[in-house]
Amino acid sequence: MTSDHFLTLTDFSPETLGRLVTRSAELKDMLARGERHQPLLGKTLAMIFQLNSTRTRVAFEVGMHQLGGHALFLSPNDTQLGRGEPVEDTAQVLSEMVDIVMIRTLSHDDVERFAGASSIPVINGMTSRFHPCQLLADVQTFQEFRGPIEGATVAFIGDGYNMCNSYIKAAAQFGFQLRIATPPTHQPDATLLESTNNATWMESPRDAVDGVDLVVTDVWSSMGHEGEVASRRSDFDGYQVNQALLDGASKDALFMHCLPAHRGEEISDDLFEDPRSVAWVEAGNRLHSQKALLEFLLG
Ligand code: CP
């Protein structure tokens, strides 16, 4: 595997990640000023989506268009991947035809195998293990409102799944302190937790949010957990982020959610109307951060 792939946040150095976040903010400003910026003329991104997506797909497709390139949507229903063609064969074929590939699939192992056989950059568009693209947008959003995230304190409340795992890597790479509150039965990857001094697990959401600068959550039943919705509602009882819980954070705290959200489960019905929520800006920043990533990988 080459370092040209972006499968997790630790594929890039902290300096490179910092530059990407800064560049994303620049690209956002350039777009707002109406500046045409098309360094990817003639370049093609293949997007393999084996799971549903709104933000990731739209951000990559619009991003490639704005940068002068073209994005190709490939679903398993329409490609030979859906009929069992090995990911390594698909990787070699796409390497002959396009310039960069993004994959969203549950199996992180499949993405690593794809990248291992690919001679072009591969981006992880989310697996059951990690969602690194989302973290670029989240860090940008925090910095847009509050300045450097380095040294800040962040609470992740809910399921110790792919977003939580990604926040653990982000804490180490961007230098913030992460408190994670999950039910004991849904803790994040233990090896990841042990890999950094910047992340701490605890059971109590109230303890986790105490005085923090940012509160983050994600759905209780992610893609892949469709058969566990009822049991998970019970498992996560007491882990809802609501205004009362946010009141325990710092007075300037922000709230983020990668979306889609299930109101009444991991967040209260009214949370996106709370002035502390920056979830819509966070979603919009997926466009700019993914453009920065494409520009970097194809630059
Ligand atoms: N947050 C996120 O990745 O959204 P989508 O699933 O809609 O792409």
Side-chain angles (χ1 to χ4, degrees):
M1 193 180 301
T2 76
S3 59
D4 288 341
H5 304 309
F6 187 58
L7 308 191
T8 80
L9 288 171
T10 40
D11 285 343
F12 291 169
S13 68
E15 293 72 27
T16 297
L17 291 172
R19 280 201 299 275
L20 279 177
V21 173
T22 301
R23 181 61 180 159
S24 178
E26 285 170 6
L27 290 170
K28 183 173 184 173
D29 287 344
M30 287 162 63
L31 187 68
R33 289 196 298 268
E35 272 181 44
R36 198 175 169 91
H37 176 63
Q38 301 200 314
L40 302 189
L41 273 171
K43 302 285 186 187
T44 302
L45 163 72
M47 306 186 296
I48 300 172
F49 279 101
Q50 297 192 313
L51 299 165
N52 295 47
S53 169
T54 297
R55 283 143 286 268
T56 306
R57 178 180 175 181
V58 174
F60 273 117
E61 196 161 334
V62 173
M64 274 307 276
H65 172 71
Q66 290 181 356
L67 292 169
H70 176 66
L72 196 60
F73 177 75
L74 302 173
S75 103
N77 297 332
D78 308 319
T79 63
Q80 300 292 2
L81 271 174
R83 296 181 59 245
E85 182 166 19
V87 292
E88 291 86 352
D89 293 1
T90 306
Q92 295 198 65
V93 171
L94 291 183
S95 296
E96 298 289 328
M97 299 190 191
V98 304
D99 302 286
I100 187 165
V101 175
M102 183 242 78
I103 312 178
R104 169 172 286 199
T105 185
L106 277 183
S107 168
H108 193 76
D109 181 57
D110 278 359
V111 175
E112 289 185 336
R113 284 170 47 214
F114 193 106
S118 173
S119 57
I120 57 175
V122 176
I123 298 169
N124 174 5
M126 197 193 78
T127 66
S128 63
R129 294 265 298 148
F130 297 110
H131 196 359
C133 292
Q134 182 68 51
L135 265 294
L136 294 179
D138 285 19
V139 171
Q140 178 187 348
T141 307
F142 182 87
Q143 300 199 155
E144 190 173 321
F145 286 91
R146 294 288 182 265
I149 198 166
E150 187 175 1
T153 309
V154 178
F156 185 96
I157 311 297
D159 190 9
Y161 194 54
N162 52 9
M163 276 300 294
C164 186
N165 288 340
S166 302
Y167 260 91
I168 295 172
K169 289 219 176 212
Q173 293 290 77
F174 288 98
F176 59 84
Q177 290 299 317
L178 178 66
R179 295 189 208 143
I180 300 161
T182 74
T185 47
H186 293 280
Q187 292 184 46
D189 185 301
T191 310
L192 272 178
L193 258 183
E194 286 159 15
S195 70
T196 173
N197 293 325
N198 286 29
T200 312
W201 178 85
M202 53 196 72
E203 191 169 349
S204 161
R206 290 210 168 278
D207 290 347
V209 303
D210 186 23
V212 299
D213 304 298
L214 170 64
V215 178
V216 184
T217 191
D218 191 9
V219 291
W220 293 341
S221 296
S222 293
M223 287 182 278
H225 297 146
E226 287 82 1
E228 304 169 25
V229 173
S231 65
R232 280 172 168 265
R233 275 193 195 121
S234 162
D235 294 348
F236 287 96
D237 188 27
Y239 284 84
Q240 184 184 83
V241 179
N242 49 40
Q243 289 175 326
L245 188 71
L246 274 188
D247 288 345
S250 111
K251 68 175 175 44
D252 294 324
L254 298 175
F255 168 72
M256 291 193 211
H257 190 311
C258 63
L259 304 171
H262 293 167
R263 291 171 176 82
E265 293 189 6
E266 80 279 1
I267 58 163
S268 52
D269 288 341
D270 52 1
L271 203 61
F272 288 141
E273 281 70 65
D274 189 289
R276 293 168 287 191
S277 172
V278 289
W280 307 130
V281 178
E282 175 191 10
N285 282 339
R286 293 292 305 278
L287 170 65
H288 314 294
S289 56
Q290 289 175 197
K291 282 170 69 178
L293 180 63
L294 290 164
E295 189 188 58
F296 173 73
L297 289 172
L298 289 171

